[in-house]
Amino acid sequence: MKTYLVTGGAGFIGANFVRFMLGKEDCKIVNVDALTYAGNLDNLTGLPQDRHIFVKADICDKNVIDELFQKYDFDRVIHFAAESHVDRSIEDPEVFVRTNVMGTMNLLNTAKKYWQDGDGYKKDKRYLQVSTDEVYGSLGETGYFTEKTPITPHSPYSASKAAADFLVLSYYDTFKMPVIVTRCSNNYGPYQFPEKLVPLMINNVLNLKPLPVYGDGKNVRDWLYVEDHVKAIDIAAENGRDGEVYNIGGHNEKYNIDIVKIIIETVAQMLPESDERKSKISNDLITYVADRKGHDLRYAIDPEKISSELGWKPETNFETGIKKTIKWYLENTEWIEKITSGEYQNYYSKMYANR
Ligand code: NAD
Ligand code: TDX
């Protein structure tokens, strides 16, 4: 039975990964998460207690991470923990460098210390860095990000993720450490914190609140259902080649404004006739607001490498994925009410105050 160190497993993608892995195979997961505003223990209910061990800790804490490596003979490190929201990185970049760069270095150093064996490494160990297509910067109207596209991040968030990627890859080049980097496009699905486009729009539609579209809404993102992402991570961690980067995406580019319109239409369709919000939901809720600073125009992934080399393919198309996502939010009103009470209101009013 493999033992995983998963970081950030109380966040959106990490929680989906933990759920998927524990359901798929007889593995043990030590889930380290600092429970920042984005981490939520409610994302981890119903998991097998004997195989899922939750540890509330900061990945920058050298003592705790060292103790965990000493206690558990980790076979895999899957590193999700990060400050992940571009808008927050524009407001307050420092914590992004601390968590995303320094936290990554701490994990790398500790894994290296415990995995080294003479001149090499213990058998079948692997560190996987969960990264993002945003490190490639922005595309024009055409073309795709490949693994060879130059790294040109534009936001403090993507710059911190790029720095972390370079560190990870340097541990392969310098120390021959068994590492892999995956770079995925925009995810959507259950358990996503409602500061990101899709859950924010679903929540606002359900509350008949304005839908803030940045700029002209013509920025393009490439959307992947979260379950397809976590499956790709699993495949890359098992069968990928050390020192390699794998892009993950499903060729599903959409203008932001089209995403918002699809959400409006689908939520309205999915509400029962008896729901009085149903007749009030329309495109009139759309409100164009000031653009994001340094807003990348277009992201689009070329997933040819992971597809031809590792046989990964996305399984959920956008039409199905967005319905599943909306259904989840409709069925988990307590989850979203809890998350959007208190501090979230301050965040929301501050973030949209000047737009
Ligand atoms: P998220 O913000 O939902 O979750 C991040 C988790 O990390 C939270 O549970 C938080 O508590 C935890 N965390 C933050 N700082 C920590 C620290 N110092 N120590 C320990 N835990 C800490 O993020 P997400 O959307 O699930 O993204 C997960 C990873 O995937 C990130 O590395 C992100 O860069 C990457 N990624 C995200 C997307 C996307 O569309 N969301 C796409 C590609 C890549
Ligand atoms: O209220 C909004 N209005 C709006 O128009 C929000 C929150 C976003 N947007 C736009 C900005 C982007 O063009 O929608 C697009 C998507 O925005 P986000 O959901 O904030 O995602 P993005 O900035 O593209 O980054 C996401 O994908 C890559 C994740 O947050 C990152 O963690 C991941 O690395």
Side-chain angles (χ1 to χ4, degrees), residues 20-35:
F20 169 73
M21 289 306 294
L22 290 170
K24 176 188 165 244
E25 63 183 56
D26 197 16
C27 59
K28 183 188 266 185
I29 293 183
V30 178
N31 183 350
V32 173
D33 195 300
L35 297 180

Side-chain angles (χ1 to χ4, degrees), residues 7-15 32-40 57-60 79-85 98-100 130-133 157 161 183-188 191-193 195-196 223 229:
T7 69
F12 163 48
I13 307 173
V32 173
D33 195 300
L35 297 180
T36 68
Y37 78 93
N40 183 358
D58 188 329
I59 53 164
C60 300
H79 178 31
F80 294 94
E83 287 294 334
S84 69
H85 192 36
R98 184 184 173 278
T99 289
N100 300 0
V130 180
S131 188
T132 168
D133 59 358
Y157 162 69
K161 291 294 289 186
R183 295 187 179 134
C184 191
S185 59
N186 285 60
N187 283 212
Y188 67 101
Y191 302 105
Q192 189 168 27
F193 191 86
E195 64 186 352
K196 307 281 166 61
W223 295 93
H229 184 191

